[in-house]
Structure formats: C-alpha cells, structure tokens
Amino acid sequence: MTEVGGEAAFYHRRLTAGDDQWAVDGAKLIQQILQLPDERMFEVIAKGIENAKQFSTQRALDQYESIYQDVLQRASGGQGS
C-alpha cells in the first residue's frame, strides 16, 4: 500500500500462483534492507516516522463514525450527507 508506506517503505511484488521466485526475491529484498548503511537506514526510519504522522487513530474512528451515521440516517429515511 504505497499510500501508507510512501517513500519510507520497501515494496515487494504481490504473490501470484505458481511464482516460485517470489520467496527468493523477498529474501533478497530483506537482505538488501539489512545491509543498508547506517546513514541510509536512519534516513528511511525518519521518513517512516514523518509519514506516519499523517495517520491518526482518532481521525480514522471519526471517519468510520461518520460513515455509520450516514448509513443509519439513510436507512431511516433521511437524506444523508
């Protein structure tokens, strides 16, 4: 999910049926991450922390609540938003 990981994540392709190379490629990716120089690792961590700031549990809960309220309002004959 690139919208969550942004530039701070390392992405591996989706597994498809019969893809025997997927696990090998995943292991190589993990190995590359583990071998990052300290400076690069700290940069990636900092980007990840900064990226995480855009997400809020409270905001997500508020959005869910709004959706549920809209559904309930529509189900009871209201117009909704």
Side-chain angles (χ1 to χ4, degrees):
M1 293 179 48
T2 57
E3 57 275 354
V4 175
E7 294 181 17
F10 294 86
Y11 298 98
H12 184 37
R13 62 187 163 73
R14 184 175 292 187
L15 175 63
T16 57
D19 186 354
D20 297 332
Q21 189 63 32
W22 183 84
V24 173
D25 291 346
K28 288 178 182 177
L29 180 60
I30 291 170
Q31 188 64 36
Q32 289 173 356
I33 295 166
L34 293 173
Q35 293 177 343
L36 287 175
D38 288 345
E39 183 177 317
R40 175 72 175 122
M41 183 62 75
F42 292 132
E43 178 183 310
V44 170
I45 291 169
K47 282 183 179 181
I49 291 169
E50 189 61 33
N51 192 49
K53 290 178 184 178
Q54 70 178 319
F55 300 99
S56 155
T57 303
Q58 188 60 52
R59 186 173 55 203
L61 290 173
D62 290 345
Q63 290 172 338
Y64 281 126
E65 182 180 14
S66 177
I67 291 168
Y68 286 127
Q69 287 176 349
D70 188 49
V71 169
L72 287 172
Q73 185 175 4
R74 289 172 189 254
S76 66
Q79 290 295 322
S81 48

